[in-house]
Amino acid sequence: VRIELSGATRAHAALSATTEQWQNEIRSAANDAGDDAVFVEKVVFRTRGTTDLAKIREQNDALGQLARSLHAMKASDDDLRELLPELADLKNKLPIELLQGEDAIALDETYLREIVGEVEEMLIPRLLAKESSS
């Protein structure tokens, strides 16, 4: 089976931070429940946080500006393309296994758009948490 977890959840940060651990937990639970009759081929996480990023973007403070900048970067092919030369050296240092196959790191505009979205989903809630605990 292939398992995909998707949608908004408060567990997004924990799932993103320890993806491999959760993949192993899910595989272990499937093995325990299925007496080896179930093989988990792949576990994919497509979750997002529950923070209202659109509302944060409306704020007239540093956090609002950061959220607007990240959102604008996601929407701009030109901004994403500007990042590509900065990542060329990294791409040359990555093992070939990470650059091939179904889950390959592409380091193109599409991949960077996804990464910037993930940064927005993780960074803004963490900064909000720091702000509220101060």
Side-chain angles (χ1 to χ4, degrees), residues 26-52:
I26 290 168
R27 284 187 172 100
S28 176
N31 285 338
D32 291 347
D35 295 324
D36 294 330
V38 177
F39 173 73
V40 178
E41 175 192 0
K42 189 172 191 176
V43 180
V44 178
F45 297 97
R46 298 193 196 289
T47 59
R48 63 185 182 283
T50 56
T51 302
D52 186 350

Side-chain angles (χ1 to χ4, degrees), residues 15-27 45:
L15 292 170
S16 297
T18 55
T19 301
E20 190 172 321
Q21 175 188 341
W22 285 107
Q23 289 171 334
N24 291 335
E25 292 282 341
I26 290 168
R27 284 187 172 100
F45 297 97

Side-chain angles (χ1 to χ4, degrees), residues 35-110:
D35 295 324
D36 294 330
V38 177
F39 173 73
V40 178
E41 175 192 0
K42 189 172 191 176
V43 180
V44 178
F45 297 97
R46 298 193 196 289
T47 59
R48 63 185 182 283
T50 56
T51 302
D52 186 350
L53 294 174
K55 186 174 181 178
I56 301 298
R57 287 184 213 112
E58 294 173 2
Q59 294 179 191
N60 289 320
D61 58 8
L63 193 57
Q65 178 59 44
L66 175 63
R68 285 189 297 278
S69 295
L70 289 169
H71 186 69
M73 183 181 286
K74 272 193 319 191
S76 170
D77 287 341
D78 290 338
D79 286 350
L80 294 171
R81 250 183 251 118
E82 284 182 31
L83 290 174
L84 293 176
E86 302 294 328
L87 298 172
D89 192 38
L90 170 65
K91 186 174 182 177
N92 292 333
K93 293 178 180 179
L94 288 174
I96 193 80
E97 300 84 35
L98 295 178
L99 300 172
Q100 297 177 340
E102 184 181 328
D103 294 326
I105 296 174
L107 292 180
D108 58 11
E109 292 94 352
T110 303

